[in-house]
Amino acid sequence: MQTLKHYSIFALLLFFFNCNVSPKPIDYGNDGCHFCKMTIVDKVHAAEIVTQKGKVYKFDATECMIHFMDEFDTSEIALYLSNDYAKPKTLTDATKATFLISKNIPSPMGAFLSAFEDKSKAQQTQTEKGGELYTWNELLVHFKD
């Protein structure tokens, strides 16, 4: 009976740690983009998806994450994350971010797409660099066209 108790506790712990739904740090210069296979080096344009089971997919650009969604069951996705352009290496909730497409801010895959956690920072950068602002849903429509 004692052995069964130990196996049950071990199984519960294993289940808990395997289903941890949280962002994972991107190892810049070593991690590869799950969509285009390029090495992730840009610390202001990377992105990440975390599934409901805790599996993490990393991307070198938000546009790669969006294109990946075309071939993936999005009902399994728990977190959509993009690097905050104003805070390099910091992932922010992409569904709540403000996005700027500006020809004056190159991004790894050529979409000129940058994410901002703070809308006022996006507007300030738009004033300096030009371009158009998008919400997450507007951005998804933009890339479908």
Side-chain angles (χ1 to χ4, degrees):
M1 189 65 169
Q2 191 71 4
T3 303
L4 180 60
K5 183 178 174 183
H6 286 128
Y7 281 122
S8 297
I9 291 170
F10 178 74
L12 283 172
L13 287 172
L14 189 62
F15 177 77
F16 175 75
F17 286 111
N18 280 337
C19 295
N20 186 9
V21 178
S22 62
K24 300 286 186 283
I26 295 173
D27 185 4
Y28 299 94
N30 291 309
D31 283 339
C33 176
H34 193 79
F35 184 74
C36 73
K37 311 301 181 206
M38 291 178 60
T39 301
I40 303 170
V41 294
D42 188 328
K43 296 173 182 161
V44 294
H45 291 104
E48 185 172 294
I49 282 175
V50 182
T51 68
Q52 307 228 1
K53 292 182 178 178
K55 184 167 181 160
V56 175
Y57 296 91
K58 299 174 183 178
F59 307 93
D60 64 343
T62 299
E63 56 265 36
C64 281
M65 176 172 69
I66 292 170
H67 294 308
F68 173 77
M69 291 164 48
D70 292 340
E71 59 191 51
F72 194 80
D73 180 5
T74 56
S75 67
E76 294 180 23
I77 299 173
L79 300 172
Y80 297 91
L81 304 159
S82 290
N83 274 144
D84 184 344
Y85 182 80
K87 300 177 197 168
K89 297 172 88 175
T90 303
L91 291 167
T92 189
D93 183 345
T95 64
K96 296 177 182 171
T98 301
F99 294 90
L100 174 64
I101 296 179
S102 171
K103 296 286 185 191
N104 295 313
I105 304 174
S107 61
M109 298 309 294
F112 303 97
L113 175 62
S114 302
F116 294 83
E117 180 179 39
D118 183 344
K119 186 176 183 176
S120 65
K121 293 272 188 192
Q123 292 168 326
Q124 179 184 351
T125 305
Q126 179 190 32
T127 301
E128 297 167 3
K129 304 280 187 178
E132 291 191 40
L133 297 177
Y134 296 85
T135 64
W136 173 249
N137 289 329
E138 292 168 339
L139 190 67
L140 295 179
V141 171
H142 176 79
F143 277 97
K144 293 288 180 201
D145 292 337

